[in-house]
Amino acid sequence: MPALVLLGAQWGDEGKGKATDLLGGSVDYVVRYQGGNNAGHTVVVGDQKYALHLLPSGILTPECTPVIGNGVVVDPSVLLSELSGLNERGVDTSKLLISGNAHIITPYNVTVDKVTERFLGKRKIGTTGRGIGPTYADKINRVGIRVQDLYDESILTQKVEAALDVKNQILTKLYNRRAIAVEQVVEELLAYADKLAPYVADTVLVLNQALDDDKVVLFEGGQGTLLDIDHGTYPFVTSSNPTAGGACTGAGVGPTKISRVIGILKAYTTRVGAGPFPTELFDEDGEALRRIGHERGVTTGRDRRCGWFDAVIARYATRVNGLTDFFLTKLDVLTGWEQIPVCVAYEIDGRRVEELPYSQTDFHHAKPVYETLPGWSEDITKAKSFSDLPKNAQNYVKALEEMSGAPISAIGVGPGRDETIEINSFI
């Protein structure tokens, strides 16, 4: 039975939550494999809207087991708050599993994140300030705190001491901040132990046994391909691997078990934070996309930068992820434009470039080369099949499919759970 990876094929915010939720009734496990509460999903169920930051979208499907894998960094206060909020709304969260090997975002990680961004000034990366980057840095530097450490006070204290030996020097001598007390951090972290205990498990074992038992497992990436630490627009990226390979390391499942990789594409392009964005619009069209598409970050609350669809990026996402399918979202937002430009290539120093340049310098200087497609004015939110779409909307989808290099198997025509056209089944 399939193990599916579902990930963002642009800079994140493509509508992964809706796609995951749509599949939730057909899968047994939904797994977050990287990132932290710097990622956000909005899922609309009936007249209810749910904003999820750290939890897998499968938390809203009663038959599904949601899993936070070892590749995720966990802020315990955020997680418990999110669980409490869902419980108050009648959502059963008791099936959640958290990897004991997932790393904890500590209070000092958050402090370091914020003061570092402030110190960088105009060179700042545009992080969410939630401690994600410093937590991954601690993980690589082997001074990180893992969920399992909450259950051994001696080990926890030793690890916090090791981390703060260096960090307090930086905070006091470089940033002129007060030193953080080891005892205070240990006490705060230990307070979460009993509350998290019912959820902690060996998720690597659970997931591999599930696949051996022919269960369907969906791996849900946070952020997007162009924010990948290795394959994104470095250094304006996240601190983990949202690409398909990250699902294997972030969940402990071998690549031979992955049967399908689904990329989520918005019918236009958005980005949050700093960094290059060739198709970004600074005119009325950009503002209209932002307004009609409700383009504001679920987690950050920041307005998203908006631009036309970029086929160069889509082709790149197909290549580095080995995408088998696309889920095209927010097609309805484009209703009303007489003409819709699509970026098919870049111009860099007078050269036409049709693939994403590997050079950071070239990408910063890339100018979009557009082809214009005819738009449509008809309401498409009630469309139930591809043939229900206006002819120009059909042609737009077909053009994006051809340019992007993988079949479009589903189309979002509205925010609701049922406002989706399924062309080919993902399972």
Side-chain angles (χ1 to χ4, degrees):
M1 291 296 289
L4 304 95
V5 179
L6 188 147
L7 51 84
Q10 295 158 315
W11 275 288
D13 306 310
E14 301 95 348
K16 295 181 291 295
K18 178 181 180 178
T20 308
D21 181 64
L22 181 72
L23 293 167
S26 305
V27 302
D28 301 294
Y29 293 79
V30 175
V31 187
R32 273 287 305 274
Y33 59 84
Q34 48 72 227
N37 56 302
N38 56 341
H41 299 312
T42 299
V43 179
V44 179
V45 182
D47 60 351
Q48 295 292 308
K49 181 183 289 187
Y50 298 88
L52 305 176
H53 305 282
L54 188 55
L55 291 169
S57 299
I59 195 82
L60 299 174
T61 304
E63 303 81 14
C64 182
T65 299
V67 179
I68 293 177
N70 57 273
V72 178
V73 291
V74 178
D75 186 321
S77 65
V78 172
L79 177 60
L80 292 170
S81 176
E82 200 166 335
L83 288 169
S84 176
L86 290 177
N87 290 333
E88 289 173 2
R89 297 177 67 178
V91 177
D92 180 13
T93 62
S94 62
K95 295 177 73 174
L96 174 69
L97 299 178
I98 305 170
S99 171
N101 288 339
H103 279 246
I104 294 284
I105 299 174
T106 67
Y108 53 78
N109 292 136
V110 177
T111 298
V112 168
D113 196 358
K114 290 179 178 178
V115 297
T116 301
E117 277 285 276
R118 203 172 298 131
F119 182 79
L120 288 172
K122 66 180 182 180
R123 298 185 303 278
K124 67 182 180 180
I125 303 301
T127 76
T128 59
R130 287 166 167 78
I132 280 79
T135 304
Y136 277 114
D138 280 0
K139 177 178 179 177
I140 299 304
N141 288 327
R142 290 159 290 190
V143 292
I145 310 298
R146 298 193 293 180
V147 170
Q148 61 174 281
D149 296 331
L150 301 181
Y151 305 97
D152 189 322
E153 185 174 350
S154 175
I155 287 178
L156 177 63
T157 302
Q158 291 175 48
K159 288 191 171 185
V160 172
E161 285 175 344
L164 286 179
D165 275 348
V166 176
K167 285 182 175 57
N168 275 336
Q169 294 292 321
I170 295 171
L171 288 171
T172 57
K173 295 181 179 178
L174 179 59
Y175 296 128
N176 197 29
R177 297 290 295 259
R178 186 179 302 172
I180 297 173
V182 171
E183 298 78 10
Q184 180 182 340
V185 173
V186 170
E187 182 180 355
E188 181 175 335
L189 293 178
L190 287 175
Y192 297 121
D194 289 344
K195 296 175 183 177
L196 293 177
Y199 306 109
V200 180
D202 181 352
T203 58
V204 172
L205 178 62
V206 169
L207 292 173
N208 279 281
Q209 287 180 336
L211 289 168
D212 290 342
D213 292 338
D214 290 336
K215 302 295 184 182
V216 182
V217 180
L218 178 65
F219 299 92
E220 174 188 51
Q223 292 92 28
T225 296
L226 273 296
L227 291 177
D228 187 278
I229 185 67
D230 288 296
H231 304 291
T233 50
Y234 191 90
F236 303 99
V237 292
T238 193
S239 303
S240 58
N241 292 108
T243 44
C248 298
T249 55
V253 171
T256 55
K257 296 196 175 177
I258 304 297
S259 54
R260 208 155 182 181
V261 183
I262 304 161
I264 313 304
L265 269 181
K266 197 174 285 185
Y268 49 101
T269 312
T270 62
R271 176 168 197 170
V272 172
F277 183 179
T279 66
E280 184 173 10
L281 297 169
F282 301 94
D283 57 9
E284 293 179 359
D285 284 332
E287 183 53 42
L289 288 173
R290 186 177 297 111
R291 184 183 70 254
I292 299 169
H294 304 288
E295 295 297 350
R296 175 164 290 197
V298 177
T299 295
T300 64
R302 293 181 288 184
D303 284 342
R304 294 175 186 143
R305 301 156 64 189
C306 295
W308 299 121
F309 185 85
D310 190 329
V312 181
I313 285 173
R315 286 194 293 273
Y316 178 75
T318 301
R319 185 165 63 250
V320 299
N321 292 297
L323 295 179
T324 58
D325 305 81
F326 279 117
F327 187 139
L328 185 70
T329 63
K330 289 197 168 185
L331 184 64
D332 54 301
V333 173
L334 296 180
T335 299
W337 267 273
E338 291 185 10
Q339 302 288 327
I340 305 173
V342 173
C343 173
V344 297
Y346 300 143
E347 181 186 321
I348 304 173
D349 296 330
R351 297 175 291 115
R352 181 184 172 101
V353 177
E354 297 192 357
E355 299 297 343
L356 197 77
Y358 77 91
S359 163
Q360 175 184 337
T361 302
D362 281 352
F363 194 56
H364 273 275
H365 291 93
K367 297 179 181 178
V369 176
Y370 287 116
E371 286 185 8
T372 302
L373 301 175
W376 61 93
S377 58
E378 301 92 329
D379 178 18
I380 66 171
T381 58
K382 301 297 187 294
K384 299 300 179 185
S385 67
F386 188 71
S387 60
D388 290 339
L389 293 174
K391 194 64 178 176
N392 285 348
Q394 293 182 32
N395 291 338
Y396 184 80
V397 173
K398 291 176 182 176
L400 266 53
E401 181 178 72
E402 184 176 349
M403 294 173 188
S404 302
I408 293 174
S409 294
I411 305 167
V413 294
R417 175 182 267 183
D418 58 343
E419 292 177 317
T420 301
I421 296 171
E422 190 171 345
I423 301 172
N424 296 306
S425 174
F426 289 121
I427 298 176

